[in-house]
Amino acid sequence: MTVRIEEHAPGVRLLTMDRQERRNALDPKTYRELTNAIRESDDDDAVRVSVLTGAGGVFTSGNDIGSFQDTAGRDGGEAKDLLIALVTARKPIVAAVEGFAVGIGTTMLLHCDLAFAGRGTRFRLPFVPLGLSPEGGSSYLLLQIAGLKRATELLMLGEMFGAEEAAEAGLINRVVEAETALDVALERAVRIADSPAESVTLTKMLLRRPHLDALLETIDVESDHFARRRRSDEAQEAFAAFMKKR
């Protein structure tokens, strides 16, 4: 199993991405396990809130580049399924981020209801440098929360940025001391779980409702462009260079 599922407290389920040998990079198997875990938590009456984190002091280094090099028989549907599970979840999801949050590791934070990052965490949206295009609804949501200029900078340049910048851009709620993000996230999750359940789910629905249709449409369009770019010569050359450097 590459996703560990634990019951932290009554109503609070902890989901931990655990491929430490690959900095918790997401391969098709991990995507499927994480998608199923999110959906099962959302359907379980005993769960009121999920906390999402990564093992070994790293949230996730993003998509496993090795799987990107496989152009035969893969359409990237696993990543899209995960994103839709996050977008359509009825119950709150709280993220605890440490180490690195790269690619989809950053864009999935857009769909978490709360997110806390340890000081020193590094973020990156490396789509353009890898010959790809934005994914995860980032071309829509990042524009909404960060503004056009900042969204363009983050998505087009694809540079690494810190937790303070992530907070300023609206990707996370706040920066906390290193190695405390999970403690903070679990504490907030327990508070949510102790609140009236219907009030919590109604609040989430009302906050998300104005953008839901546009966001799902954006994910569809982004996924089509992303799949074509992944198979392009430019992207395949970038993947090969990345794997050689690693």
Side-chain angles (χ1 to χ4, degrees):
M1 299 291 287
T2 58
V3 176
R4 289 191 280 111
I5 302 173
E6 304 167 79
E7 309 304 324
H8 168 74
V12 178
R13 180 167 290 175
L14 177 60
L15 309 177
T16 305
M17 297 173 281
D18 192 357
R19 290 187 77 211
Q20 296 182 56
E21 73 283 0
R22 299 300 294 271
R23 289 188 171 182
N24 302 329
L26 302 176
D27 63 352
K29 179 175 183 290
T30 309
Y31 274 120
R32 289 192 293 269
E33 288 186 11
L34 187 55
T35 300
N36 290 337
I38 290 168
R39 288 175 173 164
E40 288 168 7
S41 294
D42 214 44
D43 291 339
D44 190 335
D45 291 339
V47 178
R48 292 194 173 186
V49 56
S50 296
V51 175
L52 177 60
T53 194
V58 174
F59 189 62
T60 171
S61 57
N63 197 99
D64 192 313
I65 297 296
S67 67
F68 270 167
Q69 292 180 294
D70 176 15
T71 59
R74 285 199 66 246
D75 60 1
E78 298 92 353
K80 185 177 178 181
D81 287 345
L82 171 60
L83 292 165
I84 291 174
L86 288 167
V87 170
T88 59
R90 296 176 298 106
K91 299 173 184 177
I93 299 173
V94 182
V97 188
E98 301 276 2
F100 292 93
V102 178
I104 195 167
T106 294
T107 58
M108 73 168 68
L109 299 177
L110 293 165
H111 310 299
C112 294
D113 300 282
L114 298 174
F116 305 94
R119 199 174 308 280
T121 303
R122 306 294 286 169
F123 300 78
R124 192 183 179 198
L125 297 163
F127 307 123
V128 170
L130 288 173
L132 298 167
S133 56
E135 49 89 315
S138 56
S139 64
Y140 179 81
L141 281 184
L142 196 57
L143 177 66
Q144 301 292 321
I145 65 173
L148 177 59
K149 292 292 191 297
R150 190 70 177 115
T152 300
E153 182 179 24
L154 294 177
L155 288 170
M156 198 170 290
L157 294 179
E159 297 173 335
M160 198 79 77
F161 57 99
E164 289 77 9
E165 292 174 87
E168 290 172 4
L171 286 161
I172 61 174
N173 288 81
R174 63 179 57 90
V175 183
V176 299
E177 291 304 313
E179 301 180 6
T180 69
L182 182 56
D183 290 338
V184 173
L186 289 170
E187 186 272 333
R188 297 297 194 278
V190 169
R191 288 172 58 182
I192 293 171
D194 287 343
S195 299
E198 187 171 351
S199 293
V200 169
T201 55
L202 277 172
T203 299
K204 173 165 182 169
M205 182 274 290
L206 291 168
L207 286 169
R208 300 280 177 162
R209 184 184 63 84
H211 298 284
L212 181 59
D213 290 342
L215 182 54
L216 290 172
E217 181 184 7
T218 298
I219 289 174
D220 276 340
V221 173
E222 286 178 345
S223 295
D224 289 342
H225 286 295
F226 194 94
R228 286 195 291 270
R229 289 304 303 163
R230 185 175 68 83
R231 294 182 173 88
S232 71
D233 291 341
E234 285 181 326
Q236 289 298 317
E237 289 172 7
F239 302 155
F242 175 90
M243 296 296 285
K244 184 177 180 180
K245 181 178 179 181
R246 189 185 67 180

